[in-house]
Amino acid sequence: MWDPLPLRMLSLLAVCLGPHLHAQGPTTRLEGLVLDPLSQPVANARITVEVDGEVIAHTQSDASGTFVLARLPAQAVVVRATTATPDVGGTVVDLFAEPRGFARIHVMPARQVACTVRDDAGKAIAGAWVVCTPIGAAEFGCVGSHTLSDGEGRFALTHVPFGRIALRAWAPELAG
């Protein structure tokens, strides 16, 4: 005799998962190459892909500086490369309506910036959002970095490009 229970379970699964599967939308593949300032391949660079400031994928470059990420959303993404040296580089890649995208990332020397976020009275601010962006050419905007200050207002940004930067901190009801 035929048992309708498996069919009902499949229907329930389709109802529950349907919106989530549809919300993911089309995906695409990203291939890339990480190069140093002398255009030599960079091995073991950490590659992150961000959408609206949220890391959605990560990988590492191989010995020839190449990397591949599959199943990325078909939209504009920020691709960053960082190394332990530290070096940093990044680019924006528009993956919309492309079956495959390519990113060529040139890294540049970077530094660490550490400080404490304080209010006008000198009191440390915990949980402040700290953002650093290079000043100048628009193409360097994608190598900015961000973090939150700790319980004593301290923060450290590890891959800040050399040169002029804008460093901003925000906290509820405070900005500076």
Side-chain angles (χ1 to χ4, degrees):
M1 181 155 174
W2 179 72
D3 183 6
L5 183 59
L7 185 57
R8 283 187 292 202
M9 290 177 65
L10 269 175
S11 297
L12 179 61
L13 187 61
V15 168
C16 292
L17 290 179
H20 297 291
L21 294 174
H22 180 69
Q24 289 177 355
T27 60
T28 188
R29 172 184 170 106
L30 176 67
E31 300 173 8
L33 177 63
V34 182
L35 302 169
D36 69 12
L38 300 174
S39 293
Q40 297 300 308
V42 177
N44 300 317
R46 177 171 167 75
I47 311 301
T48 57
V49 178
E50 298 178 9
V51 172
D52 296 329
E54 179 184 346
V55 174
I56 61 165
H58 60 86
T59 191
Q60 219 163 312
S61 63
D62 64 16
S64 63
T66 62
F67 64 91
V68 176
L69 288 156
R71 301 187 48 80
L72 294 177
Q75 66 184 72
V77 297
V78 174
V79 185
R80 291 187 54 180
T82 56
T83 69
T85 306
D87 291 328
V88 64
T91 189
V92 176
V93 179
D94 189 356
L95 298 172
F96 182 72
E98 295 293 331
R100 181 174 71 172
F102 185 81
R104 180 180 313 254
I105 302 173
H106 286 270
V107 295
M108 63 186 113
R111 60 192 161 164
Q112 179 174 327
V113 173
C115 199
T116 302
V117 180
R118 299 184 185 280
D119 64 14
D120 290 338
K123 180 181 173 197
I125 301 173
W129 179 253
V130 181
V131 177
C132 170
T133 54
I135 297 173
E139 63 267 17
F140 293 131
C142 59
V143 296
S145 53
H146 53 82
T147 190
L148 291 174
S149 63
D150 67 12
E152 282 136 32
R154 296 180 303 223
F155 70 91
L157 296 167
T158 59
H159 288 85
V160 177
F162 284 96
R164 293 179 37 154
I165 60 168
L167 185 63
R168 295 182 175 90
W170 291 270
E173 301 176 23
L174 298 170

